[in-house]
Amino acid sequence: MLKHRDLHECTELYELLSHPSVFPFVRQKATSADEYWFMTKQLIEEEARGLAISRTITDDWGQPIGTISIHDVEDGAGFLGTWIGLPYQGQGYNQKAKMLFLNELFFDYNFHTVFLRIRVENIKSQRAALKLPYVIIANESHPTLLAQVNGGEAQFTLYKIPRDLFYLTTANQLQEGEEQAM
């Protein structure tokens, strides 16, 4: 479901991200497969320096279908970015990928907070974020950060995922699943 980024899958991923319903919402706005390859190479180098963490999301057969990354890493926090190609949207991959990636961030890399900034007009992503029981709207609790992310032309809603809330909700879901299995 998640794997380390690989330059060999850039062409396939570029085809998915260049779709008009996906492209406006991706962070790496490459205009060609070659440019996306170069951006991915830079991202892999950033990860080696501890500035970002990025994974490829794969489908049930191991084919690349999108990416999930954390950028602007600072003091155990950062901004999450996820995109999934149109043919794979609405199939549960986003939720599974986030669960796995957040587990990695919180428990392998010791993050304490993960932020999401979702464009105000991206209703689909906002609905998806609010379906996750560990996501909190952070506009009021982090007004300085909200002002910072809204400093440009695009306007965002700010969300956060605190490690403690993630742990409590996922541990509770695990326990409920185990009880139902008995």
Side-chain angles (χ1 to χ4, degrees):
M1 168 108 248
L2 290 185
K3 63 188 227 54
H4 285 267
R5 299 296 301 273
D6 183 346
L7 295 174
H8 298 293
E9 59 205 19
C10 286
T11 302
E12 213 170 336
L13 286 171
Y14 174 74
E15 292 302 317
L16 293 169
L17 84 78
S18 61
H19 189 277
S21 68
V22 176
F23 187 78
F25 306 109
V26 299
R27 182 177 176 124
Q28 293 182 305
K29 296 198 182 311
T31 56
S32 69
D34 287 342
E35 185 180 10
Y36 188 67
W37 184 91
F38 181 73
M39 290 175 161
T40 302
K41 186 176 185 314
Q42 285 181 318
L43 186 57
I44 291 169
E45 291 168 0
E46 285 179 23
E47 183 166 351
R49 293 192 313 270
L51 303 173
I53 300 170
S54 186
R55 302 290 178 260
T56 299
I57 302 169
T58 61
D59 67 7
D60 297 329
W61 298 272
Q63 295 302 306
I65 63 170
T67 68
I68 187 165
S69 306
I70 191 151
H71 298 273
D72 306 321
V73 173
E74 190 177 316
D75 298 326
F79 281 90
L80 185 70
T82 308
W83 68 266
I84 292 180
L86 185 63
Y88 305 96
Q89 293 178 8
Q91 297 180 29
Y93 289 114
N94 188 15
Q95 203 166 9
K96 288 177 193 171
K98 277 189 174 64
M99 180 75 76
L100 291 170
F101 193 61
L102 291 169
N103 262 311
E104 184 178 351
L105 293 177
F106 290 137
F107 304 116
D108 294 348
Y109 289 95
N110 206 27
F111 275 69
H112 58 79
T113 307
V114 171
F115 290 99
L116 295 89
R117 62 180 201 169
I118 301 175
R119 288 178 188 257
V120 172
E121 69 270 14
N122 191 348
I123 303 301
K124 194 179 204 179
S125 289
Q126 288 191 43
R127 273 194 227 129
L130 291 173
K131 283 183 185 176
L132 303 172
Y134 44 80
V135 172
I136 302 169
I137 297 176
N139 288 348
E140 292 180 17
S141 62
H142 292 77
T144 306
L145 187 55
L146 179 66
Q148 192 177 16
V149 299
N150 284 328
E153 232 178 82
Q155 294 298 294
F156 298 91
T157 301
L158 185 65
Y159 300 87
K160 75 175 183 177
I161 304 168
R163 177 178 43 208
D164 295 344
L165 180 59
F166 177 78
Y167 175 75
L168 288 172
T169 57
T170 56
N172 187 39
Q173 288 171 348
L174 243 160
Q175 184 180 10
E176 286 174 7
E178 288 172 0
E179 287 173 4
Q180 288 177 358
M182 287 188 198

